[in-house]
Coordinates of all heavy atoms in Angstrom, one line a residue:
M7 N 19.2 20.4 -21.8 CA 20.1 20.3 -22.9 C 20.8 18.9 -23.0 O 21.3 18.4 -22.0 CB 21.2 21.4 -22.8 CG 22.2 21.5 -23.9 SD 23.1 23.0 -23.6 CE 24.3 22.8 -24.9
C8 N 20.7 18.3 -24.1 CA 21.2 17.0 -24.3 C 22.6 17.0 -24.9 O 22.9 17.7 -25.9 CB 20.2 16.3 -25.3 SG 20.8 14.7 -25.9
E9 N 23.5 16.2 -24.4 CA 24.9 16.1 -24.9 C 24.9 14.9 -25.9 O 24.4 13.9 -25.7 CB 25.9 15.8 -23.8 CG 26.2 17.1 -23.1 CD 27.4 16.9 -22.1 OE1 28.3 16.1 -22.5 OE2 27.4 17.5 -21.1
L10 N 25.6 15.1 -27.0 CA 25.8 14.1 -28.0 C 26.9 13.1 -27.5 O 27.8 13.6 -26.8 CB 26.3 14.7 -29.3 CG 25.2 15.6 -30.0 CD1 25.9 16.2 -31.3 CD2 24.0 14.8 -30.4
P11 N 26.8 11.9 -27.8 CA 27.9 11.0 -27.4 C 29.2 11.3 -28.1 O 29.2 11.8 -29.2 CB 27.4 9.6 -27.9 CG 26.3 9.9 -28.9 CD 25.8 11.2 -28.6
P12 N 30.3 11.1 -27.4 CA 31.6 11.5 -28.0 C 31.8 10.6 -29.3 O 31.4 9.5 -29.4 CB 32.6 11.1 -27.0 CG 31.9 10.4 -25.9 CD 30.4 10.5 -26.1
S13 N 32.5 11.3 -30.2 CA 32.8 10.6 -31.5 C 33.9 9.5 -31.2 O 34.7 9.7 -30.3 CB 33.3 11.6 -32.5 OG 34.6 12.1 -32.1
P14 N 34.1 8.5 -32.1 CA 35.2 7.6 -31.9 C 36.5 8.3 -32.0 O 37.4 7.9 -31.2 CB 35.0 6.6 -33.1 CG 33.5 6.7 -33.5 CD 33.1 8.1 -33.1
E15 N 36.6 9.3 -32.8 CA 37.9 10.0 -32.9 C 38.2 10.7 -31.6 O 39.3 10.7 -31.1 CB 37.8 11.1 -34.1 CG 38.9 12.0 -34.1 CD 38.7 13.3 -34.9 OE1 37.9 13.2 -35.9 OE2 39.3 14.3 -34.6
G16 N 37.2 11.3 -31.0 CA 37.4 12.0 -29.8 C 37.8 11.1 -28.6 O 38.6 11.4 -27.8
L17 N 37.2 9.9 -28.6 CA 37.5 8.9 -27.6 C 39.0 8.5 -27.7 O 39.7 8.4 -26.7 CB 36.6 7.7 -27.7 CG 35.1 7.9 -27.3 CD1 34.3 6.7 -27.6 CD2 35.1 8.3 -25.8
I18 N 39.4 8.2 -29.0 CA 40.8 7.8 -29.2 C 41.7 8.9 -28.8 O 42.8 8.7 -28.2 CB 41.0 7.4 -30.7 CG1 40.2 6.1 -31.0 CG2 42.5 7.2 -31.0 CD1 40.1 5.8 -32.4
R19 N 41.4 10.2 -29.2 CA 42.3 11.3 -28.9 C 42.4 11.4 -27.4 O 43.5 11.7 -26.9 CB 41.8 12.6 -29.6 CG 42.0 12.6 -31.1 CD 41.3 13.7 -31.8 NE 41.6 15.0 -31.2 CZ 40.8 16.0 -31.5 NH1 39.7 15.9 -32.2 NH2 41.1 17.2 -31.0
T20 N 41.3 11.3 -26.7 CA 41.4 11.4 -25.2 C 42.2 10.2 -24.6 O 43.0 10.5 -23.7 CB 39.9 11.3 -24.6 OG1 39.2 12.4 -25.2 CG2 39.9 11.4 -23.1
E21 N 42.0 9.0 -25.1 CA 42.7 7.9 -24.6 C 44.2 8.0 -24.8 O 45.0 7.6 -23.9 CB 42.2 6.6 -25.3 CG 42.7 5.3 -24.7 CD 42.1 4.1 -25.4 OE1 40.9 4.1 -25.6 OE2 42.9 3.2 -25.7
I22 N 44.7 8.5 -25.9 CA 46.1 8.6 -26.1 C 46.7 10.0 -25.7 O 47.9 10.2 -25.9 CB 46.5 8.3 -27.6 CG1 45.9 9.4 -28.6 CG2 46.1 6.9 -28.0 CD1 46.4 9.3 -30.0
G23 N 45.9 10.8 -25.1 CA 46.3 12.1 -24.6 C 46.6 13.1 -25.7 O 47.6 13.9 -25.6
A24 N 45.9 13.0 -26.8 CA 46.1 13.9 -28.0 C 44.9 14.8 -28.3 O 44.6 15.0 -29.4 CB 46.5 13.1 -29.2
V25 N 44.2 15.3 -27.2 CA 43.0 16.0 -27.4 C 43.2 17.3 -28.2 O 42.4 17.7 -29.0 CB 42.3 16.3 -26.0 CG1 41.1 17.2 -26.2 CG2 42.0 15.1 -25.3
E26 N 44.4 17.9 -28.0 CA 44.7 19.2 -28.7 C 45.0 19.0 -30.1 O 45.2 20.0 -30.9 CB 45.7 20.0 -27.9 CG 47.1 19.3 -27.9 CD 47.3 18.3 -26.9 OE1 46.4 17.9 -26.1 OE2 48.4 17.7 -26.8
F27 N 45.3 17.8 -30.6 CA 45.7 17.6 -32.0 C 44.4 17.3 -32.8 O 43.4 16.8 -32.3 CB 46.6 16.4 -32.1 CG 47.9 16.6 -31.3 CD1 48.2 16.0 -30.1 CD2 48.9 17.5 -31.8 CE1 49.3 16.2 -29.4 CE2 50.1 17.7 -31.1 CZ 50.3 17.1 -29.9
V28 N 44.5 17.5 -34.1 CA 43.4 17.2 -35.0 C 43.9 16.2 -36.0 O 45.1 16.1 -36.4 CB 42.9 18.5 -35.7 CG1 42.3 19.5 -34.8 CG2 44.1 19.2 -36.5
I29 N 43.0 15.5 -36.5 CA 43.3 14.4 -37.5 C 44.0 15.0 -38.7 O 44.9 14.3 -39.3 CB 42.0 13.6 -37.9 CG1 41.5 12.9 -36.7 CG2 42.3 12.7 -39.0 CD1 42.4 11.8 -36.1
Y30 N 43.6 16.2 -39.2 CA 44.2 16.7 -40.4 C 45.7 16.8 -40.2 O 46.5 16.5 -41.1 CB 43.7 18.1 -40.7 CG 44.4 18.8 -41.7 CD1 44.2 18.5 -43.1 CD2 45.4 19.8 -41.4 CE1 45.0 19.1 -44.1 CE2 46.2 20.4 -42.4 CZ 45.9 20.1 -43.7 OH 46.7 20.7 -44.7
G31 N 46.2 17.2 -39.0 CA 47.6 17.3 -38.7 C 48.3 16.0 -38.8 O 49.4 15.9 -39.3
W32 N 47.7 14.9 -38.3 CA 48.2 13.6 -38.5 C 48.3 13.2 -39.9 O 49.3 12.6 -40.3 CB 47.4 12.6 -37.7 CG 47.4 12.8 -36.2 CD1 48.2 13.6 -35.5 CD2 46.4 12.2 -35.3 NE1 47.8 13.5 -34.1 CE2 46.8 12.7 -34.0 CE3 45.4 11.3 -35.5 CZ2 46.1 12.3 -32.9 CZ3 44.7 10.9 -34.3 CH2 45.0 11.4 -33.0
R33 N 47.3 13.5 -40.7 CA 47.3 13.1 -42.1 C 48.4 13.9 -42.8 O 49.1 13.3 -43.7 CB 45.9 13.5 -42.7 CG 45.7 13.1 -44.1 CD 44.2 13.5 -44.4 NE 43.9 13.2 -45.8 CZ 42.8 13.5 -46.4 NH1 41.8 14.1 -45.7 NH2 42.6 13.2 -47.6
Y34 N 48.5 15.2 -42.6 CA 49.5 16.0 -43.2 C 50.9 15.5 -42.9 O 51.8 15.3 -43.8 CB 49.4 17.5 -42.7 CG 50.6 18.3 -43.2 CD1 50.6 18.9 -44.4 CD2 51.6 18.6 -42.4 CE1 51.6 19.7 -44.9 CE2 52.7 19.4 -42.8 CZ 52.7 19.9 -44.0 OH 53.7 20.7 -44.5
N35 N 51.2 15.2 -41.6 CA 52.5 14.7 -41.2 C 52.8 13.3 -41.8 O 53.9 13.1 -42.3 CB 52.6 14.5 -39.7 CG 52.7 15.9 -39.0 OD1 53.1 16.8 -39.6 ND2 52.4 15.9 -37.7
A36 N 51.8 12.5 -41.9 CA 52.0 11.2 -42.6 C 52.4 11.4 -44.1 O 53.3 10.8 -44.6 CB 50.7 10.3 -42.5
A37 N 51.7 12.3 -44.7 CA 51.9 12.5 -46.2 C 53.3 13.1 -46.3 O 54.1 12.7 -47.3 CB 50.9 13.5 -46.7
V38 N 53.8 14.0 -45.5 CA 55.1 14.6 -45.6 C 56.2 13.6 -45.4 O 57.1 13.5 -46.1 CB 55.2 15.8 -44.6 CG1 56.7 16.2 -44.5 CG2 54.3 16.9 -45.1
E39 N 56.0 12.7 -44.3 CA 57.0 11.7 -44.0 C 57.1 10.7 -45.1 O 58.2 10.2 -45.4 CB 56.7 11.1 -42.6 CG 57.0 12.1 -41.5 CD 56.8 11.5 -40.1 OE1 56.7 10.2 -40.0 OE2 56.7 12.2 -39.2
L40 N 55.9 10.3 -45.7 CA 55.9 9.3 -46.7 C 56.6 9.9 -48.0 O 57.4 9.2 -48.6 CB 54.5 8.9 -47.1 CG 53.8 8.0 -46.0 CD1 52.3 8.0 -46.3 CD2 54.4 6.6 -46.0
A41 N 56.4 11.1 -48.3 CA 57.0 11.8 -49.4 C 58.5 11.9 -49.2 O 59.3 11.6 -50.1 CB 56.4 13.2 -49.7
D42 N 58.9 12.3 -48.0 CA 60.3 12.3 -47.7 C 61.0 11.0 -47.8 O 62.2 10.9 -48.1 CB 60.6 12.9 -46.2 CG 60.3 14.4 -46.2 OD1 60.3 15.1 -47.2 OD2 60.2 14.9 -45.0
A43 N 60.3 9.9 -47.5 CA 60.8 8.6 -47.6 C 60.9 8.1 -49.0 O 61.4 7.0 -49.3 CB 60.0 7.6 -46.8
G44 N 60.4 8.9 -50.0 CA 60.5 8.5 -51.4 C 59.3 7.7 -51.9 O 59.4 7.1 -53.0
C45 N 58.2 7.7 -51.2 CA 57.0 7.0 -51.6 C 56.4 7.6 -52.9 O 56.5 8.8 -53.1 CB 55.9 6.9 -50.5 SG 56.4 6.0 -49.1
S46 N 55.7 6.8 -53.7 CA 55.1 7.3 -54.9 C 53.8 8.0 -54.5 O 53.3 7.9 -53.4 CB 54.7 6.1 -55.8 OG 53.7 5.4 -55.3
D47 N 53.2 8.8 -55.5 CA 52.0 9.5 -55.2 C 50.9 8.5 -54.8 O 50.1 8.8 -53.9 CB 51.5 10.2 -56.5 CG 52.5 11.3 -56.9 OD1 53.3 11.8 -56.0 OD2 52.5 11.8 -58.1
T48 N 50.8 7.4 -55.5 CA 49.8 6.4 -55.3 C 49.9 5.8 -53.9 O 48.9 5.6 -53.2 CB 49.8 5.3 -56.3 OG1 49.7 5.9 -57.6 CG2 48.6 4.3 -56.2
E49 N 51.2 5.6 -53.4 CA 51.4 5.0 -52.1 C 51.0 6.1 -51.0 O 50.3 5.7 -50.1 CB 52.9 4.7 -51.9 CG 53.3 3.5 -52.7 CD 54.8 3.3 -52.7 OE1 55.6 4.3 -52.7 OE2 55.2 2.1 -52.6
I50 N 51.3 7.3 -51.2 CA 50.9 8.4 -50.3 C 49.4 8.4 -50.2 O 48.8 8.5 -49.2 CB 51.5 9.7 -50.7 CG1 53.0 9.7 -50.6 CG2 50.9 10.9 -49.8 CD1 53.7 10.9 -51.2
Q51 N 48.8 8.4 -51.4 CA 47.3 8.5 -51.5 C 46.6 7.3 -50.8 O 45.6 7.5 -50.1 CB 46.8 8.6 -52.9 CG 45.4 8.8 -53.1 CD 44.9 8.7 -54.6 OE1 45.7 8.2 -55.4 NE2 43.8 9.3 -54.9
S52 N 47.2 6.2 -50.9 CA 46.6 5.0 -50.3 C 46.7 5.1 -48.7 O 45.8 4.6 -48.1 CB 47.3 3.7 -50.8 OG 48.6 3.6 -50.2
V53 N 47.7 5.7 -48.2 CA 47.8 5.8 -46.7 C 46.9 7.0 -46.2 O 46.2 6.9 -45.2 CB 49.3 6.0 -46.3 CG1 49.4 6.4 -44.8 CG2 50.1 4.8 -46.7
T54 N 47.0 8.1 -46.9 CA 46.3 9.3 -46.4 C 44.8 9.4 -46.8 O 44.0 10.1 -46.1 CB 46.9 10.6 -47.0 OG1 46.8 10.6 -48.4 CG2 48.4 10.7 -46.6
G55 N 44.4 8.6 -47.8 CA 43.0 8.6 -48.2 C 42.6 9.8 -49.1 O 41.4 10.0 -49.2
H56 N 43.5 10.5 -49.6 CA 43.2 11.7 -50.5 C 42.4 11.1 -51.7 O 42.8 10.1 -52.2 CB 44.4 12.4 -50.9 CG 45.0 13.3 -49.8 ND1 46.1 13.0 -49.1 CD2 44.5 14.5 -49.3 CE1 46.4 13.9 -48.2 NE2 45.4 14.8 -48.3
K57 N 41.4 11.8 -52.1 CA 40.6 11.3 -53.3 C 41.3 11.5 -54.6 O 41.0 10.8 -55.5 CB 39.2 12.0 -53.2 CG 38.4 11.5 -52.1 CD 37.0 12.0 -52.2 CE 36.0 11.7 -51.1 NZ 36.4 10.9 -50.0
T58 N 42.1 12.5 -54.7 CA 42.8 12.8 -55.9 C 44.3 12.7 -55.7 O 44.8 12.8 -54.6 CB 42.5 14.2 -56.5 OG1 43.1 15.2 -55.5 CG2 41.0 14.4 -56.6
L59 N 45.0 12.5 -56.8 CA 46.5 12.4 -56.7 C 47.1 13.8 -56.6 O 48.3 13.9 -56.2 CB 47.1 11.7 -58.0 CG 46.9 10.2 -58.1 CD1 47.4 9.7 -59.4 CD2 47.7 9.6 -56.9
A60 N 46.4 14.8 -56.8 CA 46.9 16.2 -56.8 C 47.5 16.5 -55.4 O 48.6 17.1 -55.3 CB 45.9 17.2 -57.1
M61 N 46.9 16.1 -54.3 CA 47.4 16.4 -53.0 C 48.7 15.6 -52.7 O 49.7 16.1 -52.2 CB 46.4 16.1 -51.9 CG 45.3 17.1 -51.9 SD 45.9 18.9 -51.7 CE 46.6 18.8 -50.1
A62 N 48.7 14.3 -53.1 CA 49.9 13.5 -52.9 C 51.0 14.1 -53.8 O 52.2 14.1 -53.3 CB 49.6 12.1 -53.4
Q63 N 50.7 14.6 -55.0 CA 51.8 15.2 -55.8 C 52.3 16.4 -55.1 O 53.5 16.7 -55.2 CB 51.2 15.5 -57.2 CG 50.9 14.3 -58.0 CD 50.1 14.6 -59.2 OE1 49.4 15.6 -59.3 NE2 50.1 13.6 -60.2
K64 N 51.5 17.2 -54.5 CA 52.0 18.4 -53.8 C 53.0 18.0 -52.7 O 54.0 18.6 -52.6 CB 50.8 19.1 -53.1 CG 51.1 20.2 -52.2 CD 49.9 20.7 -51.5 CE 50.4 21.7 -50.4 NZ 49.3 22.1 -49.5
Y65 N 52.7 17.0 -51.9 CA 53.6 16.6 -50.8 C 54.9 16.0 -51.4 O 56.0 16.3 -50.9 CB 53.0 15.6 -49.9 CG 51.8 16.1 -49.2 CD1 50.5 15.6 -49.3 CD2 51.9 17.2 -48.3 CE1 49.4 16.1 -48.7 CE2 50.9 17.7 -47.6 CZ 49.6 17.1 -47.8 OH 48.5 17.7 -47.1
R66 N 54.8 15.2 -52.5 CA 56.0 14.7 -53.1 C 56.8 15.8 -53.7 O 58.1 15.7 -53.7 CB 55.6 13.6 -54.1 CG 56.8 12.8 -54.6 CD 56.5 11.7 -55.5 NE 55.6 12.0 -56.6 CZ 55.9 12.8 -57.6 NH1 57.1 13.2 -57.8 NH2 55.0 13.1 -58.6
A67 N 56.2 16.8 -54.4 CA 56.9 17.9 -55.0 C 57.7 18.6 -53.9 O 58.9 19.0 -54.1 CB 56.0 18.8 -55.7
Q68 N 57.1 18.8 -52.7 CA 57.8 19.5 -51.7 C 59.0 18.7 -51.2 O 60.1 19.2 -51.0 CB 56.9 19.8 -50.5 CG 55.8 20.8 -50.7 CD 54.8 20.9 -49.6 OE1 54.7 20.0 -48.8 NE2 53.9 21.9 -49.7
A69 N 58.8 17.4 -51.1 CA 59.9 16.5 -50.7 C 61.0 16.5 -51.7 O 62.2 16.6 -51.4 CB 59.4 15.1 -50.4
N70 N 60.7 16.5 -53.0 CA 61.7 16.5 -54.1 C 62.5 17.8 -54.0 O 63.7 17.8 -54.2 CB 61.0 16.3 -55.4 CG 60.6 14.9 -55.7 OD1 61.0 14.0 -55.0 ND2 59.7 14.7 -56.6
Q71 N 61.8 18.9 -53.8 CA 62.4 20.2 -53.8 C 63.5 20.3 -52.6 O 64.6 20.7 -52.8 CB 61.4 21.3 -53.6 CG 62.0 22.7 -53.8 CD 62.6 23.3 -52.6 OE1 62.2 23.0 -51.5 NE2 63.6 24.2 -52.8
K72 N 63.1 19.7 -51.5 CA 64.0 19.7 -50.3 C 65.2 18.8 -50.6 O 66.3 19.2 -50.3 CB 63.2 19.1 -49.1 CG 64.0 19.3 -47.8 CD 63.3 18.6 -46.6 CE 61.8 18.6 -46.5 NZ 61.3 18.0 -45.4
R73 N 64.9 17.7 -51.2 CA 66.0 16.7 -51.6 C 67.0 17.4 -52.6 O 68.2 17.3 -52.4 CB 65.4 15.4 -52.1 CG 66.4 14.3 -52.1 CD 65.7 12.9 -52.5 NE 64.4 12.9 -52.9 CZ 63.3 12.6 -52.1 NH1 63.5 12.3 -50.9 NH2 62.1 12.6 -52.6
L74 N 66.4 18.0 -53.6 CA 67.3 18.7 -54.6 C 68.0 19.8 -54.0 O 69.2 20.1 -54.4 CB 66.4 19.2 -55.8 CG 65.8 18.1 -56.7 CD1 64.8 18.7 -57.6 CD2 66.9 17.4 -57.4
S75 N 67.5 20.6 -53.1 CA 68.1 21.7 -52.4 C 69.4 21.2 -51.7 O 70.5 21.7 -51.8 CB 67.2 22.4 -51.5 OG 67.9 23.4 -50.8
K76 N 69.2 20.1 -50.9 CA 70.3 19.5 -50.2 C 71.4 19.0 -51.1 O 72.6 19.2 -50.8 CB 69.8 18.4 -49.3 CG 69.0 18.8 -48.1 CD 68.5 17.6 -47.3 CE 67.7 18.1 -46.1 NZ 67.2 17.0 -45.3
S77 N 71.0 18.4 -52.2 CA 72.0 17.9 -53.2 C 72.8 19.1 -53.8 O 74.0 19.0 -53.9 CB 71.2 17.1 -54.3 OG 72.1 16.8 -55.3
A78 N 72.1 20.1 -54.1 CA 72.7 21.3 -54.7 C 73.7 21.9 -53.8 O 74.8 22.3 -54.1 CB 71.7 22.3 -55.2
Q79 N 73.3 22.0 -52.5 CA 74.2 22.6 -51.5 C 75.4 21.8 -51.3 O 76.5 22.3 -51.1 CB 73.4 22.8 -50.2 CG 72.4 23.9 -50.3 CD 72.9 25.3 -50.6 OE1 74.1 25.6 -50.4 NE2 72.1 26.1 -51.2
A80 N 75.3 20.5 -51.3 CA 76.4 19.5 -51.1 C 77.4 19.7 -52.3 O 78.6 19.7 -52.1 CB 75.9 18.1 -51.0
K81 N 76.8 19.8 -53.5 CA 77.7 20.0 -54.7 C 78.5 21.3 -54.6 O 79.7 21.4 -54.9 CB 76.9 20.0 -56.0 CG 76.4 18.6 -56.3 CD 75.5 18.6 -57.5 CE 74.9 17.2 -57.8 NZ 74.0 17.2 -59.0
R82 N 77.8 22.4 -54.1 CA 78.5 23.7 -54.0 C 79.6 23.6 -52.9 O 80.7 24.1 -53.2 CB 77.4 24.7 -53.6 CG 78.0 26.1 -53.6 CD 76.9 27.1 -53.3 NE 77.5 27.8 -52.1 CZ 76.8 28.3 -51.1 NH1 75.5 28.0 -51.0 NH2 77.3 28.9 -50.1
T83 N 79.3 22.9 -51.8 CA 80.3 22.8 -50.8 C 81.5 22.0 -51.3 O 82.7 22.4 -51.1 CB 79.7 22.1 -49.6 OG1 78.6 22.8 -49.1 CG2 80.7 21.8 -48.5
E84 N 81.3 20.9 -52.0 CA 82.3 20.1 -52.6 C 83.2 20.9 -53.6 O 84.4 20.8 -53.6 CB 81.8 18.9 -53.3 CG 82.8 17.9 -53.8 CD 83.7 17.3 -52.8 OE1 83.3 17.2 -51.6 OE2 84.9 17.0 -53.1
Q85 N 82.5 21.7 -54.4 CA 83.2 22.6 -55.4 C 84.1 23.6 -54.6 O 85.3 23.8 -55.0 CB 82.3 23.3 -56.3 CG 83.0 24.2 -57.3 CD 82.0 25.1 -58.1 OE1 80.9 25.3 -57.6 NE2 82.5 25.5 -59.2
K86 N 83.6 24.2 -53.6 CA 84.4 25.1 -52.8 C 85.7 24.4 -52.2 O 86.8 25.0 -52.2 CB 83.6 25.8 -51.7 CG 82.5 26.6 -52.2 CD 82.9 28.0 -52.4 CE 81.7 28.8 -52.7 NZ 82.0 30.1 -53.4
R87 N 85.4 23.2 -51.7 CA 86.5 22.4 -51.1 C 87.6 22.2 -52.2 O 88.8 22.3 -51.9 CB 86.0 21.1 -50.6 CG 86.5 20.8 -49.2 CD 86.0 19.5 -48.7 NE 84.8 19.8 -47.9 CZ 83.7 19.1 -47.9 NH1 83.6 18.0 -48.5 NH2 82.7 19.5 -47.1
N88 N 87.2 21.8 -53.4 CA 88.1 21.5 -54.5 C 88.9 22.7 -54.9 O 90.0 22.6 -55.4 CB 87.4 20.8 -55.7 CG 86.9 19.5 -55.3 OD1 87.4 18.8 -54.4 ND2 85.9 19.0 -56.0
E89 N 88.2 23.9 -54.9 CA 88.9 25.1 -55.3 C 90.0 25.5 -54.4 O 91.0 26.1 -54.8 CB 87.9 26.2 -55.4 CG 86.9 26.1 -56.6 CD 85.8 27.2 -56.5 OE1 85.8 28.0 -55.6 OE2 85.0 27.2 -57.5
K90 N 89.9 25.1 -53.1 CA 90.9 25.5 -52.1 C 92.2 24.6 -52.2 O 93.2 25.0 -51.7 CB 90.4 25.4 -50.7 CG 89.4 26.4 -50.4 CD 88.8 26.3 -49.0 CE 87.8 27.4 -48.7 NZ 87.3 27.3 -47.3
Q91 N 92.1 23.5 -52.9 CA 93.2 22.5 -53.0 C 94.2 22.9 -54.1 O 94.1 23.5 -55.0 CB 92.7 21.1 -53.3 CG 91.9 20.6 -52.1 CD 91.3 19.2 -52.4 OE1 91.5 18.7 -53.5 NE2 90.7 18.7 -51.4

């Protein structure tokens, strides 16, 4: 039985101690962090290598929803504070 030579990805993962991680997870995390940082769809796509803007838009939409949720909660908290005065 012949063994295939390890892939470049496998060698890198072994070298950095990340054998249990998969490249998809790194790509997903990069997209989420870029979206959270306010990057555009095109910027996200250029880093992650997605072929269509649809995936980048998905990550940005999730980041926008999270940002809007935090903003709404802050406004609600401020309103409650003002009502007590």
